[in-house]
Amino acid sequence: MVHAFLIHTLRAPKAEEGLCRVLYSCVFGAESSPDDGRPHGAERDRLLRKEQILAVARQVESMCRLQQQASGRPPMDLQPQSSDEPVPLHEAPRGAFRLAAGDPFQEPRTVVWLGVLSLGFALVLDAHENLLLAEGTLRLLARLLLEHLRLLAPGTNLLLRADRIEGILARFLPHGQLLFLNDQFVQGLEKEFSAACPR
Amino acid sequence: MFSAGAESLLRQAREIPDEELKKFCSRVSKLLQKEDVGPEAIDALQRLFLIVSATKYSRRLEQTCVDLLQTTLCSPACPEQLQLLCAAILRERSPCDSLRLSCEHVQNARQLSLVASVLLAQGDKQQEVRSVGQHVFRVLESRQPEGPSPRPLLPVVTKVIGLAPGALQEDQTNLLSKRLVDWLRYASLQQGLAHSTGGFFSTPRGRQPGPVTEVDGAVATDFFTVLSTGQHFTEDQWLNVQAFSMLRAWLLHSGPPGGPGAPDTDDRSELEGSTLSVLSAASTASRLLPPQERLREKAFEYCQRLIEQSNRRALRKGDADLQKACLVEAVLVLDVLCRQDPSFLYRTLSCLKALHARLCGDPACVRALLPVAQFFLNHGEAAAVDTEAIYQHLFTRIPSELFHSPMLAFEFVQFCRDNLPLFGRSLGILKLSFPNLFKFLAWNSPPLTSEFVALLPSLVDAGTAVEMLHTLLDLPCLTAALDLQLRLSQAASERPLWDASLRTPACLEALRDSRFQGLFQHLLRAQAAGTTERLAPLHQLLQPLAGCARVVQCAEAVPTLLQAFFSAVTQFADGALTTQLALLLLERSDSLFQVPQYEARVHRVLSSQFLVLCKLHPSLVVELAKELLEFVGSGRGIHGTGSMLTSVVWAIGEYLSVSWDRRCTVEQINKFFEGLEALLFEVTQSRPSATLPKCPPQVITVLMTTLTKLASRSQDLIPRVSLFLSKMRTLAQSPATSSMHGEEDAGAVRTRATELLNLLKMPSVAQFVLTPSVEVSQPRYHRDTNTALPLALCTISRLAEKEAGLLPG
């Protein structure tokens, strides 16, 4: 199952300034925390959770950057050619890496990531998941978010569109469950989503 | 997409002062309390979500606002957008002590799912997960057949059992297993009805939906699965998808405890019982089977159907991708089934053997081969399958052809790593295939370096250690060669996999040049050759590619891998191997692929590892006396940081003595002395020479110290050394030296020269200090070899100065 889904910024390969920002994250369920009755235990747990997500985002960013450099391709265009052209997601940089136990999650986990223009999408999975399915799901989520949030149009962003992101996740990755959806099922769910969350 | 405007929005959200936040919360409360919740409320909630989620520190929200969010979430007639936002905000704040949400009175499945997402994010300190699971189950049980679908609740169940395995009781597990059987096996084979749009001209009974189809367009031949398509779907078909998606997790949760390592007695009794169930297995409609076994039977049928369906040619690309994912999942589920009930084994084997043969011939499906290989690893012994042939194909063909796929590389290496204890006799094949495995690493080093560091101890073998060290040192060279190979082999129309920033390197033709064929073949070999080749000509040839980003990334990973290699090999290396490796270090230290900064980093590792090897097997200094003398005499080690030379000279000083190896002769000591003296003379020429770069002071001091050590063992040399040292001291004091080497460095040389001279005034003490016997060299006193000697020298110097005052002359 998926432990977390996050969207973060990808800086251009040579950019030195700026930080990697997590634009959206969703954690499905909680890791077990040490049993302490300290007064601010809940806050500390939340802080830890946010920092874990940020650590993943930073690692994904550096992996993506290294992969782009290694392939010798020019740095990602921050503005796409036109908002009507579908972004070729099958050729977008992607990869996977393992996180050892304790670093930063309690249990060992695998991260599958996808880089689209200047956004990084990542799924934090349990250690032995069906990676083909995870990859497919991540690509699907990226496409849906790009389309339904019209992220390619200049000036839009996803910071104030949490309801749509949540709507997409609730249908296509409910509680972190990876679903085996063939094309027609995906279309069916998309229609349901468009009906429930009209633009 | 992420413009400066968004950056400032984030900052605003993060920096909003508490007072303003308080006001905003009351505004939100007012908007939520209105009868008709409109777009203003949605907008406000979206902002509130951003404020809460933008910072990792908790923001204090007014309790009334939070309470309203909770009630809104649970209120029955709430539009979905609003529910989603309320749930999102509450979930973002979790874990939170002041949450007063409960799923007790929520009956709507979709709403319950959202409430559960908030509650599950709270953690499990007070059995929250269990109570959520129980409540969800109650709603599932009480579901009316014509009522709203339980579809949103199944993922909650999977999450609950993942977080808290004991959350469901046995009768609940059995009940859900029964339902899953229905959903998996008996879903409708007719397509669903389109939602009628109503209107005057619509005819509700106009078009009957047809049967579902396979992914290649043919009419469905058997029961409905995730690979069946249609225009619209019925609810039970949706549940079929959900059921399969959660099947593996559910089987693992509800199956017999102990998993793959079930105790032997259970195995035997299962196997015996299985002969009976084998006979009765033919009747699949046997409802007398308990729910778990029935579920396993249906799961087995489902997987077999998926394997058949995955052979069809899908009309759409998305479906083709799904076929592969389904194939992997089917094999994984079959593996679980066979682990839980060995009677499935005989039926699965023939099916999987056929599948394996089919996949071997299809490069597009290579990622599905890994779970099949995993299956044979887990069950091969019981099934008497020729696993060796399978691994042979896996390790020799796939890495050579498909090293460039990042996902395959990761899965392949993970497969090796996870299955190390299971390889058994086949571990030999894995070990011999290290050149092929390294291709994954050479091409894609950043994510795979840590995996290989964990994998290396199992790959390193006494027979292949020398060859492996050569391969590791040549890893960036391998990256360059693979890049060339791709340029030559890939079809022109495909998207280039090689470094696109470098058009056509001149060395492209070299790959086809017959003079270098042999070397390239050795570099790109699939298995350990048992021999080593000097690849120095290739280093020169591939120089144009040395600046490529991929080569540089690989070069950066090599020092870490070398450390891992050495810590593995020193565990078992005997004297002969240690000596061989030390010799290798000497030879290769100046024969490396010239990637920027590669040599310096590798030297740092090699120099410290050389000392480790010497410590392991001190006699190697005597055994390699000739080669060491040559190394010192050639002056090769002076370039760069001189770290190799420093280590070699230090090792000579430390271990070239009779106490370490009886074969050490006075002649040897004298010969070394002369060689080192000549070297020291050369490097301390006050005339800066164009050919000899400025020598680091560590080299000078270690040379002086080593000469003194050797002199203390062969005491005729003491006058020579003393003379030399006083010359050095004078030299270090001269202004010319200070200007060339810097004041600090000259000072260090001066100090060391003085200490050594003082030491030599008392030869027997010198011998004690500089050539301590083995018993004295206990870690307790000599843990840090850098400080122990100077400490002793300091003490002696002070004593010597005092003594000088007391003794006559």
mmCIF file of all heavy atoms in Angstrom, chain B residues 11-39:
data_model
loop_
_atom_site.group_PDB
_atom_site.id
_atom_site.type_symbol
_atom_site.label_atom_id
_atom_site.label_comp_id
_atom_site.label_asym_id
_atom_site.label_seq_id
_atom_site.Cartn_x
_atom_site.Cartn_y
_atom_site.Cartn_z
ATOM 1 N N ARG B 11 4.634 31.742 1.218
ATOM 2 C CA ARG B 11 5.243 32.502 2.302
ATOM 3 C C ARG B 11 4.186 33.214 3.131
ATOM 4 O O ARG B 11 4.230 33.211 4.356
ATOM 5 C CB ARG B 11 6.250 33.513 1.749
ATOM 6 C CG ARG B 11 7.263 33.888 2.831
ATOM 7 C CD ARG B 11 8.400 34.759 2.356
ATOM 8 N NE ARG B 11 8.774 34.515 0.998
ATOM 9 C CZ ARG B 11 8.774 35.456 0.058
ATOM 10 N NH1 ARG B 11 8.418 36.687 0.341
ATOM 11 N NH2 ARG B 11 9.128 35.168 -1.173
ATOM 12 N N GLN B 12 3.213 33.803 2.419
ATOM 13 C CA GLN B 12 2.125 34.466 3.146
ATOM 14 C C GLN B 12 1.425 33.491 4.074
ATOM 15 O O GLN B 12 1.161 33.788 5.235
ATOM 16 C CB GLN B 12 1.078 34.993 2.155
ATOM 17 C CG GLN B 12 1.358 36.368 1.612
ATOM 18 C CD GLN B 12 0.292 36.728 0.602
ATOM 19 O OE1 GLN B 12 -0.874 36.381 0.776
ATOM 20 N NE2 GLN B 12 0.692 37.393 -0.452
ATOM 21 N N ALA B 13 1.126 32.318 3.531
ATOM 22 C CA ALA B 13 0.394 31.332 4.330
ATOM 23 C C ALA B 13 1.198 30.944 5.559
ATOM 24 O O ALA B 13 0.654 30.736 6.649
ATOM 25 C CB ALA B 13 0.094 30.093 3.489
ATOM 26 N N ARG B 14 2.518 30.871 5.380
ATOM 27 C CA ARG B 14 3.355 30.445 6.485
ATOM 28 C C ARG B 14 3.495 31.539 7.529
ATOM 29 O O ARG B 14 3.621 31.270 8.712
ATOM 30 C CB ARG B 14 4.725 30.056 5.949
ATOM 31 C CG ARG B 14 5.282 28.815 6.595
ATOM 32 C CD ARG B 14 6.596 28.443 6.014
ATOM 33 N NE ARG B 14 6.409 27.649 4.830
ATOM 34 C CZ ARG B 14 7.061 27.852 3.702
ATOM 35 N NH1 ARG B 14 7.925 28.819 3.590
ATOM 36 N NH2 ARG B 14 6.841 27.086 2.664
ATOM 37 N N GLU B 15 3.486 32.788 7.062
ATOM 38 C CA GLU B 15 3.822 33.867 7.982
ATOM 39 C C GLU B 15 2.611 34.607 8.505
ATOM 40 O O GLU B 15 2.767 35.632 9.150
ATOM 41 C CB GLU B 15 4.766 34.844 7.276
ATOM 42 C CG GLU B 15 6.121 34.203 6.990
ATOM 43 C CD GLU B 15 6.967 35.072 6.082
ATOM 44 O OE1 GLU B 15 6.525 36.187 5.745
ATOM 45 O OE2 GLU B 15 8.068 34.621 5.712
ATOM 46 N N ILE B 16 1.430 34.124 8.205
ATOM 47 C CA ILE B 16 0.248 34.855 8.658
ATOM 48 C C ILE B 16 0.255 34.916 10.188
ATOM 49 O O ILE B 16 0.410 33.891 10.856
ATOM 50 C CB ILE B 16 -1.031 34.191 8.087
ATOM 51 C CG1 ILE B 16 -2.263 34.998 8.487
ATOM 52 C CG2 ILE B 16 -1.192 32.768 8.556
ATOM 53 C CD1 ILE B 16 -3.527 34.535 7.798
ATOM 54 N N PRO B 17 0.105 36.101 10.748
ATOM 55 C CA PRO B 17 0.198 36.203 12.218
ATOM 56 C C PRO B 17 -1.027 35.585 12.895
ATOM 57 O O PRO B 17 -2.096 35.467 12.305
ATOM 58 C CB PRO B 17 0.254 37.721 12.464
ATOM 59 C CG PRO B 17 -0.090 38.371 11.188
ATOM 60 C CD PRO B 17 -0.054 37.398 10.084
ATOM 61 N N ASP B 18 -0.846 35.209 14.153
ATOM 62 C CA ASP B 18 -1.898 34.505 14.879
ATOM 63 C C ASP B 18 -3.193 35.293 14.955
ATOM 64 O O ASP B 18 -4.285 34.736 14.851
ATOM 65 C CB ASP B 18 -1.420 34.165 16.302
ATOM 66 C CG ASP B 18 -0.421 33.014 16.285
ATOM 67 O OD1 ASP B 18 -0.440 32.256 15.304
ATOM 68 O OD2 ASP B 18 0.381 32.903 17.228
ATOM 69 N N GLU B 19 -3.066 36.608 15.131
ATOM 70 C CA GLU B 19 -4.265 37.444 15.244
ATOM 71 C C GLU B 19 -5.112 37.351 13.994
ATOM 72 O O GLU B 19 -6.326 37.154 14.041
ATOM 73 C CB GLU B 19 -3.843 38.907 15.471
ATOM 74 C CG GLU B 19 -3.637 39.265 16.930
ATOM 75 C CD GLU B 19 -4.883 38.956 17.729
ATOM 76 O OE1 GLU B 19 -5.981 39.398 17.326
ATOM 77 O OE2 GLU B 19 -4.756 38.259 18.752
ATOM 78 N N GLU B 20 -4.420 37.502 12.862
ATOM 79 C CA GLU B 20 -5.167 37.445 11.594
ATOM 80 C C GLU B 20 -5.784 36.078 11.393
ATOM 81 O O GLU B 20 -6.900 35.943 10.877
ATOM 82 C CB GLU B 20 -4.213 37.718 10.435
ATOM 83 C CG GLU B 20 -4.207 39.156 9.980
ATOM 84 C CD GLU B 20 -3.517 39.294 8.642
ATOM 85 O OE1 GLU B 20 -3.974 38.637 7.685
ATOM 86 O OE2 GLU B 20 -2.515 40.030 8.582
ATOM 87 N N LEU B 21 -5.042 35.052 11.807
ATOM 88 C CA LEU B 21 -5.552 33.692 11.649
ATOM 89 C C LEU B 21 -6.826 33.521 12.472
ATOM 90 O O LEU B 21 -7.797 32.895 12.042
ATOM 91 C CB LEU B 21 -4.489 32.695 12.068
ATOM 92 C CG LEU B 21 -4.852 31.214 11.929
ATOM 93 C CD1 LEU B 21 -5.257 30.904 10.506
ATOM 94 C CD2 LEU B 21 -3.675 30.354 12.336
ATOM 95 N N LYS B 22 -6.805 34.124 13.661
ATOM 96 C CA LYS B 22 -7.985 34.039 14.522
ATOM 97 C C LYS B 22 -9.187 34.656 13.825
ATOM 98 O O LYS B 22 -10.285 34.091 13.800
ATOM 99 C CB LYS B 22 -7.681 34.793 15.818
ATOM 100 C CG LYS B 22 -8.525 34.407 17.000
ATOM 101 C CD LYS B 22 -7.881 34.942 18.276
ATOM 102 C CE LYS B 22 -8.944 35.011 19.363
ATOM 103 N NZ LYS B 22 -8.457 35.664 20.574
ATOM 104 N N LYS B 23 -8.940 35.835 13.240
ATOM 105 C CA LYS B 23 -10.048 36.500 12.538
ATOM 106 C C LYS B 23 -10.524 35.659 11.370
ATOM 107 O O LYS B 23 -11.726 35.530 11.110
ATOM 108 C CB LYS B 23 -9.576 37.871 12.015
ATOM 109 C CG LYS B 23 -9.619 38.955 13.053
ATOM 110 C CD LYS B 23 -9.382 40.328 12.411
ATOM 111 C CE LYS B 23 -8.327 41.063 13.233
ATOM 112 N NZ LYS B 23 -7.499 41.962 12.454
ATOM 113 N N PHE B 24 -9.572 35.086 10.670
ATOM 114 C CA PHE B 24 -9.939 34.269 9.516
ATOM 115 C C PHE B 24 -10.766 33.072 9.959
ATOM 116 O O PHE B 24 -11.739 32.688 9.300
ATOM 117 C CB PHE B 24 -8.670 33.829 8.783
ATOM 118 C CG PHE B 24 -8.940 33.137 7.486
ATOM 119 C CD1 PHE B 24 -9.552 33.794 6.423
ATOM 120 C CD2 PHE B 24 -8.595 31.808 7.312
ATOM 121 C CE1 PHE B 24 -9.806 33.159 5.228
ATOM 122 C CE2 PHE B 24 -8.834 31.160 6.116
ATOM 123 C CZ PHE B 24 -9.440 31.838 5.082
ATOM 124 N N CYS B 25 -10.384 32.462 11.069
ATOM 125 C CA CYS B 25 -11.143 31.317 11.578
ATOM 126 C C CYS B 25 -12.578 31.696 11.878
ATOM 127 O O CYS B 25 -13.514 30.939 11.572
ATOM 128 C CB CYS B 25 -10.500 30.762 12.854
ATOM 129 S SG CYS B 25 -9.067 29.747 12.522
ATOM 130 N N SER B 26 -12.776 32.878 12.491
ATOM 131 C CA SER B 26 -14.166 33.247 12.788
ATOM 132 C C SER B 26 -14.930 33.485 11.498
ATOM 133 O O SER B 26 -16.122 33.167 11.400
ATOM 134 C CB SER B 26 -14.263 34.464 13.698
ATOM 135 O OG SER B 26 -13.049 35.094 13.845
ATOM 136 N N ARG B 27 -14.226 34.003 10.486
ATOM 137 C CA ARG B 27 -14.910 34.192 9.192
ATOM 138 C C ARG B 27 -15.343 32.853 8.623
ATOM 139 O O ARG B 27 -16.463 32.688 8.119
ATOM 140 C CB ARG B 27 -13.974 34.921 8.232
ATOM 141 C CG ARG B 27 -14.613 35.165 6.905
ATOM 142 C CD ARG B 27 -13.926 36.256 6.090
ATOM 143 N NE ARG B 27 -14.464 36.183 4.747
ATOM 144 C CZ ARG B 27 -13.839 35.614 3.720
ATOM 145 N NH1 ARG B 27 -12.637 35.106 3.886
ATOM 146 N NH2 ARG B 27 -14.411 35.544 2.546
ATOM 147 N N VAL B 28 -14.443 31.897 8.694
ATOM 148 C CA VAL B 28 -14.752 30.555 8.192
ATOM 149 C C VAL B 28 -15.941 29.979 8.964
ATOM 150 O O VAL B 28 -16.853 29.386 8.387
ATOM 151 C CB VAL B 28 -13.519 29.640 8.327
ATOM 152 C CG1 VAL B 28 -13.898 28.199 8.082
ATOM 153 C CG2 VAL B 28 -12.439 30.070 7.370
ATOM 154 N N SER B 29 -15.898 30.149 10.296
ATOM 155 C CA SER B 29 -17.009 29.631 11.102
ATOM 156 C C SER B 29 -18.330 30.216 10.640
ATOM 157 O O SER B 29 -19.322 29.502 10.459
ATOM 158 C CB SER B 29 -16.800 29.949 12.578
ATOM 159 O OG SER B 29 -15.549 29.529 13.005
ATOM 160 N N LYS B 30 -18.342 31.543 10.430
ATOM 161 C CA LYS B 30 -19.595 32.177 9.988
ATOM 162 C C LYS B 30 -20.060 31.603 8.664
ATOM 163 O O LYS B 30 -21.232 31.302 8.478
ATOM 164 C CB LYS B 30 -19.373 33.689 9.836
ATOM 165 C CG LYS B 30 -19.519 34.455 11.108
ATOM 166 C CD LYS B 30 -19.836 35.924 10.823
ATOM 167 C CE LYS B 30 -19.264 36.784 11.942
ATOM 168 N NZ LYS B 30 -17.843 37.092 11.775
ATOM 169 N N LEU B 31 -19.121 31.444 7.740
ATOM 170 C CA LEU B 31 -19.502 30.945 6.419
ATOM 171 C C LEU B 31 -20.058 29.535 6.509
ATOM 172 O O LEU B 31 -20.973 29.167 5.774
ATOM 173 C CB LEU B 31 -18.290 30.968 5.481
ATOM 174 C CG LEU B 31 -17.874 32.349 4.972
ATOM 175 C CD1 LEU B 31 -16.522 32.277 4.290
ATOM 176 C CD2 LEU B 31 -18.918 32.890 4.003
ATOM 177 N N LEU B 32 -19.481 28.735 7.415
ATOM 178 C CA LEU B 32 -19.937 27.352 7.522
ATOM 179 C C LEU B 32 -21.290 27.239 8.201
ATOM 180 O O LEU B 32 -22.009 26.269 8.003
ATOM 181 C CB LEU B 32 -18.912 26.509 8.298
ATOM 182 C CG LEU B 32 -17.654 26.112 7.524
ATOM 183 C CD1 LEU B 32 -16.722 25.342 8.441
ATOM 184 C CD2 LEU B 32 -18.009 25.269 6.320
ATOM 185 N N GLN B 33 -21.591 28.237 9.010
ATOM 186 C CA GLN B 33 -22.849 28.149 9.737
ATOM 187 C C GLN B 33 -24.034 28.571 8.887
ATOM 188 O O GLN B 33 -25.171 28.346 9.253
ATOM 189 C CB GLN B 33 -22.788 29.028 10.997
ATOM 190 C CG GLN B 33 -22.128 28.315 12.159
ATOM 191 C CD GLN B 33 -21.705 29.296 13.236
ATOM 192 O OE1 GLN B 33 -21.544 30.488 12.993
ATOM 193 N NE2 GLN B 33 -21.544 28.799 14.433
ATOM 194 N N LYS B 34 -23.715 29.174 7.733
ATOM 195 C CA LYS B 34 -24.835 29.631 6.893
ATOM 196 C C LYS B 34 -25.611 28.441 6.365
ATOM 197 O O LYS B 34 -25.084 27.346 6.203
ATOM 198 C CB LYS B 34 -24.299 30.458 5.712
ATOM 199 C CG LYS B 34 -23.898 31.857 6.104
ATOM 200 C CD LYS B 34 -24.013 32.827 4.941
ATOM 201 C CE LYS B 34 -22.913 32.550 3.933
ATOM 202 N NZ LYS B 34 -22.566 33.759 3.180
ATOM 203 N N GLU B 35 -26.845 28.702 6.038
ATOM 204 C CA GLU B 35 -27.712 27.642 5.501
ATOM 205 C C GLU B 35 -27.150 27.113 4.187
ATOM 206 O O GLU B 35 -27.011 25.920 3.974
ATOM 207 C CB GLU B 35 -29.106 28.230 5.233
ATOM 208 C CG GLU B 35 -30.041 28.167 6.423
ATOM 209 C CD GLU B 35 -30.412 26.739 6.734
ATOM 210 O OE1 GLU B 35 -30.668 25.963 5.794
ATOM 211 O OE2 GLU B 35 -30.413 26.383 7.929
ATOM 212 N N ASP B 36 -26.860 28.054 3.318
ATOM 213 C CA ASP B 36 -26.474 27.697 1.969
ATOM 214 C C ASP B 36 -24.980 27.918 1.795
ATOM 215 O O ASP B 36 -24.527 29.042 1.633
ATOM 216 C CB ASP B 36 -27.265 28.590 1.008
ATOM 217 C CG ASP B 36 -27.257 27.995 -0.383
ATOM 218 O OD1 ASP B 36 -26.890 26.815 -0.502
ATOM 219 O OD2 ASP B 36 -27.616 28.727 -1.321
ATOM 220 N N VAL B 37 -24.230 26.829 1.856
ATOM 221 C CA VAL B 37 -22.782 26.985 1.792
ATOM 222 C C VAL B 37 -22.366 27.203 0.347
ATOM 223 O O VAL B 37 -22.543 26.340 -0.500
ATOM 224 C CB VAL B 37 -22.093 25.726 2.356
ATOM 225 C CG1 VAL B 37 -20.608 25.933 2.384
ATOM 226 C CG2 VAL B 37 -22.612 25.451 3.745
ATOM 227 N N GLY B 38 -21.821 28.355 0.071
ATOM 228 C CA GLY B 38 -21.552 28.686 -1.325
ATOM 229 C C GLY B 38 -20.070 28.667 -1.664
ATOM 230 O O GLY B 38 -19.245 28.187 -0.880
ATOM 231 N N PRO B 39 -19.746 29.202 -2.832
ATOM 232 C CA PRO B 39 -18.344 29.182 -3.272
ATOM 233 C C PRO B 39 -17.413 29.983 -2.366
ATOM 234 O O PRO B 39 -16.212 29.725 -2.311
ATOM 235 C CB PRO B 39 -18.395 29.777 -4.679
ATOM 236 C CG PRO B 39 -19.717 30.415 -4.808
ATOM 237 C CD PRO B 39 -20.636 29.762 -3.847
#
